[in-house]
Amino acid sequence: MNSSNPLVSSIITDARNKADEILSTAAKEAQSIIAEAEEKARKGEEAEERSLSQRLEQIRLRKESARKSIDRLSELRALDSSYSEVMDEVTRRLDAAIGSPEIRKVLVSWIAEAAIGLDRKEAKVAFSDKTPVTEDMLREAEDEVRRITGSSVSLSLDPDRLIGGGVSVSSMDGKVSYNNQLDVRIRRFQRDIKRIIQEENARENSRKG
């Protein structure tokens, strides 16, 4: 609508300018709101991605931990199984060797070792019916002690019997002893035995792999 009245024209012009200003401001505000919303959405997506990534990493770590636990349990079971087999074989060979020259030499060396460890001038040697000891074996053990240490020891048979295989050398009053029974010796070397078995199992698994 046109008007020749200057006052009306001025008012219309001012109104149009004001409307344009309002529209421009509204457009800028709308653009700013949209930009903030987009930034907020972007940050939300990034946060969600980080959270998802963290959850996935936690799941991966738990899975890896569970796998390692299963592998370790499997290794321990294999180690225990192999250790039992080795100990069964040791027992079987010991039973088969009773009365043989080989077991006799072993017992003599165990007696000498225990006598040296006990470090007494006199000592008594206990044994089991499973691994009998004779006076001749005591003399041989005395000779071995003398050869190794240069010292003399007088050994005698203990009337008391052991339950397990092997020997135990004690002072004459029985207050101090050096136990060389089979199960005790196995416990002394248990760590080394298990380490050897573990290394053998690892090599076997490596060959299979």
Side-chain angles (χ1 to χ4, degrees):
M1 177 179 178
N2 297 325
S3 174
S4 58
N5 189 324
L7 179 59
V8 173
S9 296
S10 177
I11 292 172
I12 291 173
T13 300
D14 289 342
R16 286 176 176 170
N17 291 338
K18 189 64 176 178
D20 291 341
E21 183 180 343
I22 292 171
L23 290 174
S24 177
T25 300
K28 290 179 180 179
E29 289 178 352
Q31 186 176 3
S32 176
I33 291 171
I34 292 171
E36 288 179 2
E38 290 177 346
E39 179 66 13
K40 186 176 181 180
R42 185 185 64 79
K43 289 182 178 180
E45 288 178 359
E46 290 178 353
E48 184 64 25
E49 287 178 359
R50 285 195 300 271
S51 177
L52 178 60
S53 177
Q54 290 173 353
R55 290 198 296 271
L56 290 174
E57 180 64 12
Q58 289 173 353
I59 292 172
R60 188 191 68 79
L61 291 175
R62 285 198 296 268
K63 183 179 179 181
E64 180 69 14
S65 177
R67 185 188 64 77
K68 288 181 178 179
S69 296
I70 292 172
D71 290 346
R72 180 57 179 163
L73 181 59
S74 178
E75 289 177 3
L76 290 174
R77 286 178 175 172
L79 177 61
D80 289 341
S81 177
S82 297
Y83 182 78
S84 296
E85 290 180 9
V86 169
M87 292 302 99
D88 289 344
E89 180 64 14
V90 168
T91 302
R92 187 191 67 77
R93 292 190 180 189
L94 178 64
D95 290 338
I98 290 177
S100 68
E102 288 75 16
I103 195 66
R104 188 180 190 280
K105 292 179 182 178
V106 169
L107 290 174
V108 168
S109 67
W110 286 4
I111 294 170
E113 177 188 71
I116 293 171
L118 191 66
D119 194 21
R120 292 289 192 277
K121 293 297 183 182
E122 293 182 307
K124 53 186 179 180
V125 179
F127 57 91
S128 73
D129 293 332
K130 193 173 186 179
T131 50
V133 174
T134 65
E135 290 286 350
D136 289 341
M137 293 169 66
L138 296 185
R139 303 294 82 80
E140 291 178 29
E142 290 171 353
D143 291 341
E144 189 165 339
V145 171
R146 190 178 302 108
R147 179 181 59 80
I148 295 172
T149 67
S151 301
S152 297
V153 61
S154 176
L155 300 174
S156 58
L157 294 175
D158 191 331
D160 294 334
R161 291 290 180 268
L162 303 176
I163 297 175
V167 296
S168 179
V169 179
S170 306
S171 59
M172 299 307 293
D173 58 10
K175 292 182 178 180
V176 184
S177 65
Y178 189 108
N179 195 333
N180 247 348
Q181 289 180 263
L182 180 61
D183 59 340
V184 174
R185 291 185 65 86
I186 288 174
R187 283 198 297 271
R188 288 178 193 154
F189 297 104
Q190 187 177 54
R191 181 178 297 179
D192 291 333
I193 293 172
K194 287 191 174 182
R195 176 182 54 78
I196 292 170
I197 293 172
Q198 197 168 19
E199 289 174 354
E200 287 298 322
N201 285 345
R203 279 194 286 268
E204 182 64 24
N205 291 333
S206 177
R207 285 194 291 268
K208 291 179 179 179

